[in-house]
Structure formats: C-alpha cells, structure tokens
Amino acid sequence: MTICMAAAFSCAVFAQGYTNPIIKGMNPDPSICRVGEDYYLVTSSFHYFPGVPVYHSRDLVNWEQIGHVLERESQLPLPEARSWSGIYAPTIRHHDGKFYMITTNCSSKGNFIVTAIDPAGDWSEPMWIDMPGIDPDLFWDEDGTCWYTGAGNDGIVQCKINPDTGELLSEPEMIWYGTGGRYPEAPHIYKKDGWYYLLISEGGTEFGHGVTIARSRFVDGPYTPAPHNPILTHFKQATQGSHIQGTGHADFVQAHDGSWWTVCLGFRIQGGQHHLMGRETFLAPVRWDEGAWPVINSTGDIALEMNVPTLPLQPLQPRPERNEFDRNASASTDPAVSSSAGPTMSGTGLGAEWSWIRNPEPSRYVVQEGVLRLYGTAADLNETVTSPTFVGFRQQDIDFTAETYVTLDGARSGDKAGMTVFMDSGAHYDVYVTAEGKVGILYAMGAHNHREEFKVGKGRRVWLRITGESDFYKLWYSTDGKEFKQIGMNHTRYMSSETVGGFTGVMVGLWAQSPSGKGYADFDYFEYRHWHPTL
Ligand code: 6LW
C-alpha cells in the first residue's frame, strides 16, 4: 500500500468554525494568494532543504502540501546555513497567469525571485536582486508597475522592480518606520477603495510581536498609521493567558465569496513560557468595510477554536499515522534523480513532508522494498557545516508519539542510527542503536553533551520511540516491539526557541552516522501519532 504522509493535515470540522493553527509545526511567515477558488500558501524554511513548502486549499482551513518552491541546490544553496539563516520570509503572488515567489537566502546572495506556471513546480532558477534587507514583497499597481517593498535596517523601503529579471528600476525610498515597535518588517501592500494599505509587523518575532497598518492615496506614501494599531497582537492583558503567543507576520487575502482573511504566524506555548514547534500558521477573519480600516477577528487577537463562519469546508483525508516506506507511485525509481539543474530529493521516494539539513546528497537516502535506507557519513547531528544523514518530519503536536524499527545489519564498526527530536545542532535529544549492539541516548544542550549507552540482548535491531508532552521528551526502546523501556527523559524547555534561539521548530528525525561513510541503517517504518487532542 502506498502511503504518502504529505496527504493532509487533520483538522476538526465544525458546522461553523475551525481549529487553529491551520498548518501545524514549523511554518512561519505565511504568505497567501488566490487564483479563482484555489488558495496557495508558502512559509519560511531556513537551513532546511527543499526550501519554501507550498500548500494548497479550497477553503482556507484545510491545507495540503503540494511541494516546495526551491527543490534544487542551484535554487537553494545553503553553505554552512544554520537555524537562523537560509531562507527567510517568502511572498507568493499570482500575476498575469504566472506565480511569483520572492524571498531572501541569508546564506547566499540575499533577495531573489523565482517564477512558475504551476505552483507545485517546476520553479525557475533564481533572479537575484541587488538590494539588501529581508522580507521582500511584490505589488503590481493598476498601471502595471511592479513595486518591491522590503524591510531595511530601520524601516520599510520601496522601489520599482522588473519582476521578470529582478532588475531595480528606481532608487529605494524609506516609506514607513512603523509605530515605534522594534524590527519593523514583513511588509505587504494592497490596494482597496482608492487606498494603498501597507501592512507590516513590529516588536520582533517573540512575545512582543504584532501587526500594524498604514494607508496612503499614493503607493510611495506618505503613509498614515491606523488609529487602532496594532491590528493584531497577543502582547496585551486580554491575551496574556492565551495558549497562542507571538502573533505577527500577516498577509491578507480576499476569498472568492468576497470575505477577507488573514494568515499570520504565532506559537503555542508549553513547558512554561516556552515554544518548541516553531512558529506556525494561523487563520483569522478580517472585517474590511468600504473605505474603512481592516479589523482582525473583532478584537485583534486569535484563538485555537475559532467560532466564526467559514467558506464551505472541504476536509481532506487525515494524514496516515504510519509511513511504511513503500515508494510513492509518483516517485522515480532512480534514487538520485537528476533534473537539468542538478539532483533533487524527489527521487528518494520520500514525500514532500520530509526535510533535510542544508544541501543533502540524495544517494544517501533510498526507499526500497519497504525500508528507508540511510547511508551515514562521519557527521553527527552536532554538525554545523556539511549535511549530516538526517531526514526530519515537523513536530506538529505538543503531545505525540513517534516510533520506528531500525536494523543495523549493514553497519560498520562505530556506526550509529536512530531517532531524534532536533531543534538545532546544539539542541537535540537522540535515541539510537550502535553497530556494537548497544542502545544509547544523547542529550545535546549547547556545549554540554550527555551520553549513556546500554548493552541490549539482541543488539543491532531495535524499536525506538520518542514521546513528547508539555514538559518532557521521553526516549524508549524495545527488543520485541511490544514492551518498551524508557531509557531517557529530559525537559522540553532546554530545546525551546526561548532557550536555543534560531527561527526553526523541532523536527522528529531519523538519522545515521558512519565514520567510514560506508555503513547503512534500515528503517522499517515511521509512525507519528498525536495522542492528546487538547492542543
Ligand atoms: C522574518 C521576519 C520574522 O524574516 O522572522 O516574524 C523572520 N517575522 O519577518 C524569520 O522568520
């Protein structure tokens, strides 16, 4: 049976309303566009490859990942990229039959545009833009002029651009400093009822985050701030107890029924004031009367359960909990498939929900005969330069169980392979089996690495499990797949964004390490289950 875990994100369906976040796990800086009754959304990917996941929906609530924008190393060079570099906030727009995605590669040459006719790909090679700064936006005015708007050092800058070449056509001008919050960023421009609206974020992407707006009769200003700014924030008394914090970085879309909506990022807190799953994508209705300022969800904040009218809901098949590593019918049989511009990961047989660190070697990842075979390198998960043998699946729930069965029959002396909850090269908890027939755990916490290894009777073939809950990750193994023994437990907060920094969220990963570079590990299945559907 073919199982593709990219198929869907499960989401409660109500006669009216929906559950936030609409896209769970690390999916920050959402940008959205509509073509007829189809909606497309992209998010940031930092040092993960492929870059910029693309999601599709027909109701704004239920989203399916249809691919990535940046699938080739030529589009996404990630030399020495870390969890605070690589790809930042993308903007997706559709103009004259073509999709445009503009973003910043902070580990390469900065801002660039790629284009596609089909948002599922192929996308073009990058057209680099000679402009510093981050969070670029594209806006086409009614006269056909295309405007680049982005975040500079102290405020929002703008100039004319040729979106089909990346060439700048005017001198950059500062158009707004925001309302005084730190890091004015994430601009998007919209035109409505004769006004140009400039939507931005301020306050930094932590607890003080918020969205502000200004408008002008002219695209290049002067912009006048809305009297009710910030129009979205959880940095206020009414939401100090909310499970959602850090709301910001929004984009607007007008639905095909005329209603307005915003997608934005936020994070779900756990283990005290900590978040582990990165910043996720949320949805809220916008009231935007003619000539009036937009109002987000009446009160300028959002909830997990949104009791508001929606478009007619079109639920997707729930994501299968278990991936048996049967090759997807659509995947190539060649493990290292090459396009004209270099190898992509689509040939590995793993679906779009999987991510690699920096620029992986496709031939080290092979799905065959119901196993995922990982060929290790000398690099371990503390690696900061090359791409360790690792493939990750976004942690999507505070309470979850992930499980696999790993065989090291193809291992060489010194080899290890297993599962991890991975925030960063300096923050991951691993459970593994060694070629010498031991099981082990590693807590990587900055400069401190704590390792324990135990001899197990049967050696070399074990079931491994990681469970997550609000305060702890627990690490388990089994030699029969029935009785699991807990061999590790550590606080979630040591791996949180508040402790570790960076812009990413935890990935549940499978990995292999082989000092000789010749050993391999076989993973029989990967199961990910949400077991406590409260948050
Ligand atoms: C992004 C900036 C932000 O470029 O975080 O929350 C940065 N907003 O707009 C990285 O995701």
Side-chain angles (χ1 to χ4, degrees):
M1 186 174 52
T2 296
I3 295 182
C4 175
M5 295 184 69
F9 293 86
S10 60
C11 185
V13 183
F14 300 94
Q16 152 162 303
Y18 61 93
T19 302
N20 265 320
I22 49 162
I23 307 181
K24 300 198 289 181
M26 182 193 83
N27 276 291
D29 311 322
S31 175
I32 187 167
C33 72
R34 175 172 74 85
V35 184
E37 299 191 3
D38 292 291
Y39 299 84
Y40 299 96
L41 187 151
V42 290
T43 59
S44 308
S45 50
F46 308 100
H47 65 330
Y48 286 107
F49 189 95
V52 186
V54 189
Y55 300 92
H56 169 255
S57 174
R58 291 180 67 87
D59 62 10
L60 289 170
V61 169
N62 296 289
W63 292 88
E64 178 181 8
Q65 189 178 353
I66 56 170
H68 288 90
V69 174
L70 306 171
E71 293 192 306
R72 304 182 294 272
E73 190 170 340
S74 56
Q75 296 166 309
L76 182 57
L78 291 169
E80 301 189 27
R82 305 292 297 275
S83 60
W84 55 87
S85 54
I87 294 291
Y88 278 20
T91 295
I92 188 168
R93 294 291 181 257
H94 186 253
H95 179 76
D96 259 356
K98 206 155 104 174
F99 288 89
Y100 292 78
M101 193 284 296
I102 183 168
T103 186
T104 319
N105 184 338
C106 298
S107 301
S108 182
K109 290 187 277 179
N111 290 305
F112 66 96
I113 296 173
V114 288
T115 62
I117 300 300
D118 180 350
D122 275 355
W123 289 75
S124 71
E125 289 298 296
M127 291 168 283
W128 297 98
I129 304 166
D130 184 16
M131 175 71 135
I134 59 168
D135 298 358
D137 174 69
L138 291 177
F139 168 74
W140 281 262
D141 208 344
E142 280 146 7
D143 65 1
T145 309
C146 184
W147 293 87
Y148 170 107
T149 310
N153 274 345
D154 336 291
I156 307 303
V157 290
Q158 187 185 64
C159 61
K160 292 180 189 167
I161 190 170
N162 178 339
D164 294 299
T165 61
E167 187 192 354
L168 299 182
L169 302 175
S170 67
E171 282 301 310
E173 303 282 351
M174 184 69 78
I175 56 166
W176 197 30
Y177 294 95
T179 65
R182 62 183 191 156
Y183 303 124
E185 59 190 10
H188 292 299
I189 290 194
Y190 314 90
K191 189 165 191 193
K192 186 175 180 297
D193 311 325
W195 291 101
Y196 295 90
Y197 287 86
L198 172 57
L199 183 74
I200 72 162
S201 288
E202 304 180 38
T205 192
E206 294 91 19
F207 283 83
H209 213 195
V211 175
T212 56
I213 196 164
R215 71 182 180 184
S216 172
R217 291 288 183 191
F218 306 96
V219 66
D220 53 351
Y223 278 91
T224 307
H228 64 307
N229 276 324
I231 60 169
L232 170 68
T233 187
H234 280 210
F235 193 56
K236 56 189 180 188
Q237 193 180 33
T239 43
Q240 66 191 19
S242 171
H243 291 293
I244 307 168
Q245 293 296 329
T247 48
H249 203 119
D251 195 5
F252 287 152
V253 67
Q254 186 171 26
H256 56 277
D257 68 353
S259 58
W260 282 87
W261 296 83
T262 185
V263 289
C264 66
L265 65 71
F267 51 81
R268 286 182 283 167
I269 50 170
Q270 63 180 94
Q273 296 289 299
H274 294 265
H275 78 281
L276 277 287
M277 293 178 288
R279 297 159 299 156
E280 306 177 283
T281 293
F282 293 75
L283 176 74
V286 178
R287 177 171 175 174
W288 204 348
D289 296 340
E290 194 176 340
W293 294 98
V295 175
I296 295 179
N297 197 32
S298 309
T299 48
D301 46 56
I302 57 178
L304 294 175
E305 299 301 338
M306 296 290 292
N307 188 25
V308 297
T310 62
L311 296 174
L313 293 180
Q314 304 191 26
L316 300 163
Q317 285 283 93
R319 176 183 54 78
E321 291 177 339
R322 195 171 165 115
N323 186 333
E324 301 276 5
F325 296 126
D326 292 334
R327 289 185 68 85
N328 299 331
S330 58
S332 159
T333 49
D334 177 353
V337 124
S338 285
S339 78
S340 52
T344 73
M345 298 310 281
S346 59
T348 61
L350 289 165
E353 70 277 24
W354 294 98
S355 298
W356 289 261
I357 297 171
R358 291 181 279 276
N359 293 120
E361 274 180 60
S363 60
R364 294 200 173 270
Y365 305 84
V366 182
V367 174
Q368 56 180 23
E369 290 158 22
V371 297
L372 168 65
R373 179 163 290 179
L374 298 187
Y375 290 88
T377 69
D380 63 14
L381 295 180
N382 290 357
E383 173 67 24
T384 59
V385 177
T386 68
S387 181
T389 299
F390 160 97
V391 57
F393 176 84
R394 286 170 178 76
Q395 183 186 333
Q396 298 178 6
D397 309 282
I398 292 172
D399 301 304
F400 75 94
T401 298
E403 194 181 292
T404 192
Y405 175 58
V406 58
T407 303
L408 253 61
D409 291 343
R412 309 288 173 100
S413 162
D415 288 4
K416 299 180 181 68
M419 201 188 277
T420 180
V421 274
F422 182 90
M423 175 60 103
D424 181 49
S425 55
H428 50 95
Y429 302 159
D430 313 338
V431 59
Y432 58 87
V433 59
T434 74
E436 288 70 33
K438 292 179 176 169
V439 292
I441 55 160
L442 173 71
Y443 306 135
M445 298 182 292
H448 178 66
N449 276 225
H450 173 80
R451 191 186 291 281
E452 290 173 34
E453 290 186 355
F454 315 85
K455 190 85 190 156
V456 293
K458 296 190 180 159
R460 284 193 163 223
R461 296 168 174 224
V462 292
W463 283 259
L464 300 174
R465 184 184 276 178
I466 298 181
T467 52
E469 52 195 76
S470 181
D471 294 344
F472 295 102
Y473 286 115
K474 294 175 182 166
L475 310 173
W476 315 69
Y477 84 97
S478 167
T479 53
D480 62 8
K482 295 185 190 99
E483 297 287 312
F484 279 79
K485 187 169 162 32
Q486 187 187 314
I487 48 170
M489 171 167 121
N490 207 347
H491 293 276
T492 49
R493 65 172 178 263
Y494 301 142
M495 284 197 5
S496 72
S497 297
E498 287 66 29
T499 304
V500 176
F503 286 128
T504 55
V506 169
M507 295 271 183
V508 184
L510 303 176
W511 58 276
Q513 187 198 1
S514 177
S516 67
K518 295 193 175 132
Y520 62 82
D522 286 335
F523 293 84
D524 202 52
Y525 63 89
F526 174 77
E527 193 173 290
Y528 174 91
R529 249 178 314 124
H530 177 200
W531 51 264
H532 194 281
T534 50
L535 283 180

